[in-house]
Amino acid sequence: MSVREFTFGKTGDGREVAAFEIKNAGGASITVISYGAILQSVLVPDAGGALRDVALGYDAVEPYEANPNYFGATIGRSGNRIAGAAFTLNGKRYQLAANENDNNLHSCPDGYNFRLWDGKAGEDGLSVSFRLHSADMDQGFPGAFDVTVTYALSEDNAVSITYDGISDADTVANMTNHSYFNLKGAGCGDIYDHFLTICADGYTPVDAKSIPVGTVAPVEGTPFDFRTAKQVGRDADLPCEQLSFTGGYDHNFAVNGEGMRQAAELFSAESGIVMKVLSDLPGIQFYAGNFLSGPAGKGGAAYPVHGGLALETQYYPNSVNEPAFASPVLKAGERYFTRTVYAFGVKAG
Ligand code: BGC
């Protein structure tokens, strides 16, 4: 196991971006970059033992400076949508940027995915940590928030992402990783043939602007039933108001149980690669890459619509404004600590 550090490139304004490749004894590797604390590649063996890069992304800094799809991105301070781009905390109203309809999406336009993080290889030889200081009122959120995101790769091909932060005032903390996976390999067609399991009896229906209406609805009898493995494309085009609101799957699922547990599993019969998603958070956003766009990807690859899917662990979207949902509020001086694991393996179709 080793970490190799090298220069990935420079930002448009001349700042150097570091890359860190973590490689295990079996040859699997991940590369993470200090720009956006982005997971840039995930090379894992397929059923025949050949390595495939299963994460969508870019070869250079420049496209990450736009990154309209948020490939590999660390999202913060609060992922997904906040309705009306505003919330009230301790009796005070806070305004964020309205960057999608009237709402805020992914704490952008000045998201953590566009920051240069301070990266450092772990002494254990299997991890890389990125630190960020987010000032009081950064993006409109109260409290100075110091956060470290640590990526690690295990000998058995599990990628873990740990978020460890603290704020000096009550704030919202709801970070996630926005990697898109294609288990045939990034650039190898779409993911409608992948088998997906989501460990959720319920999901959070949305309005026409993708804001949850505040309920958890049963998945049973709907296209959102992924309780047993189902091909992503099987029900994707069924007539369904929820799917028409979002142009395809782009919904939060209420993951069964609590604590660190399996939230989802993705499998490609073509490559034999399987990915389990484990999380300690209440929700997971399944986004089927309905609007993938932008410049060519790694190696000049074209990423078509549905060319990858994201499984973003999270507090439910708009939970800061929705008392029925678990709260994403982080109290002053308390530790924000959460972990997501993408565990790779192979199995027979
Ligand atoms: C959102 C989608 C959005 C995508 C890329 C997902 O987390 O739910 O609506 O299109 O991110 O921004």
Side-chain angles (χ1 to χ4, degrees), residues 39 54 157-161 163 176-183 194-200 253 255-256 259-267 273-287 309-314 338-345:
L39 179 57
V54 296
N157 301 342
V159 179
S160 74
I161 310 174
Y163 305 82
T176 194
N177 181 277
H178 208 303
S179 289
Y180 290 75
F181 298 100
N182 182 326
L183 300 184
H194 285 37
F195 290 87
L196 177 64
T197 311
I198 303 179
C199 309
F253 288 70
V255 179
N256 297 337
M260 196 65 182
R261 64 213 186 285
Q262 189 170 322
E265 180 174 312
L266 188 65
F267 172 64
I273 296 174
V274 61
M275 179 183 84
K276 289 186 184 355
V277 185
L278 293 97
S279 165
D280 51 13
L281 291 169
I284 192 166
Q285 187 83 11
F286 164 37
Y287 173 53
L309 63 79
L311 291 164
E312 306 151 61
T313 57
Q314 61 186 0
T338 170
R339 176 173 289 159
T340 295
V341 177
Y342 296 111
F344 293 90

Side-chain angles (χ1 to χ4, degrees), residues 30-339:
I30 64 170
T31 299
V32 289
I33 61 171
S34 58
Y35 186 81
I38 281 168
L39 179 57
Q40 189 262 342
S41 80
V42 177
L43 273 163
V44 289
D46 65 17
L51 294 172
R52 300 197 192 197
D53 186 350
V54 296
L56 277 59
Y58 300 117
D59 288 322
V61 177
E62 195 190 352
Y64 281 119
E65 292 187 280
N67 203 7
N69 313 290
Y70 301 86
F71 289 153
T74 292
I75 306 286
R77 190 176 299 194
S78 184
N80 212 278
R81 293 176 177 81
I82 294 182
F87 61 94
T88 299
L89 183 60
N90 300 330
K92 200 171 159 200
R93 191 152 175 85
Y94 293 93
Q95 187 67 48
L96 312 171
N99 63 333
E100 190 202 64
N101 301 311
D102 304 328
N103 307 319
N104 179 267
L105 175 63
H106 296 327
S107 301
C108 279
D110 190 15
Y112 290 177
N113 52 303
F114 297 123
R115 310 284 173 89
L116 195 57
W117 294 60
D118 183 14
K120 206 170 178 282
E123 274 160 23
D124 53 12
L126 52 78
S127 66
V128 174
S129 290
F130 294 106
R131 281 189 308 138
L132 183 77
H133 175 73
S134 173
D136 179 37
M137 294 311 289
D138 187 10
Q139 303 166 331
F141 293 103
F145 181 52
D146 286 286
V147 65
T148 301
V149 177
T150 299
Y151 288 93
L153 175 67
S154 70
E155 289 296 0
D156 60 356
N157 301 342
V159 179
S160 74
I161 310 174
T162 307
Y163 305 82
D164 193 349
I166 193 160
S167 171
D168 66 1
D170 292 1
T171 191
V172 178
N174 185 16
M175 297 181 64
T176 194
N177 181 277
H178 208 303
S179 289
Y180 290 75
F181 298 100
N182 182 326
L183 300 184
K184 296 181 290 191
C188 299
D190 70 47
I191 47 72
Y192 267 15
D193 59 353
H194 285 37
F195 290 87
L196 177 64
T197 311
I198 303 179
C199 309
D201 297 336
Y203 77 108
T204 51
V206 293
D207 66 16
K209 290 183 176 171
S210 285
I211 299 294
V213 296
T215 53
V216 175
V219 295
E220 189 166 11
T222 77
F224 298 92
D225 192 347
F226 285 94
R227 290 173 298 171
T228 53
K230 177 173 85 176
Q231 280 190 308
V232 171
R234 195 189 84 177
D235 298 339
D237 298 317
L238 289 181
C240 166
E241 185 180 54
Q242 281 296 312
L243 291 174
S244 71
F245 282 162
T246 46
Y249 289 112
D250 184 9
H251 290 75
N252 171 70
F253 288 70
V255 179
N256 297 337
E258 48 189 62
M260 196 65 182
R261 64 213 186 285
Q262 189 170 322
E265 180 174 312
L266 188 65
F267 172 64
S268 162
E270 190 273 321
S271 66
I273 296 174
V274 61
M275 179 183 84
K276 289 186 184 355
V277 185
L278 293 97
S279 165
D280 51 13
L281 291 169
I284 192 166
Q285 187 83 11
F286 164 37
Y287 173 53
N290 309 325
F291 299 104
L292 285 190
S293 62
K298 287 180 271 189
Y303 300 142
V305 165
H306 309 306
L309 63 79
L311 291 164
E312 306 151 61
T313 57
Q314 61 186 0
Y315 286 94
Y316 299 175
N318 197 38
S319 46
V320 68
N321 288 316
E322 184 50 73
F325 294 166
S327 170
V329 170
L330 174 68
K331 292 286 189 192
E334 286 184 7
R335 194 170 178 199
Y336 174 68
F337 189 87
T338 170
R339 176 173 289 159

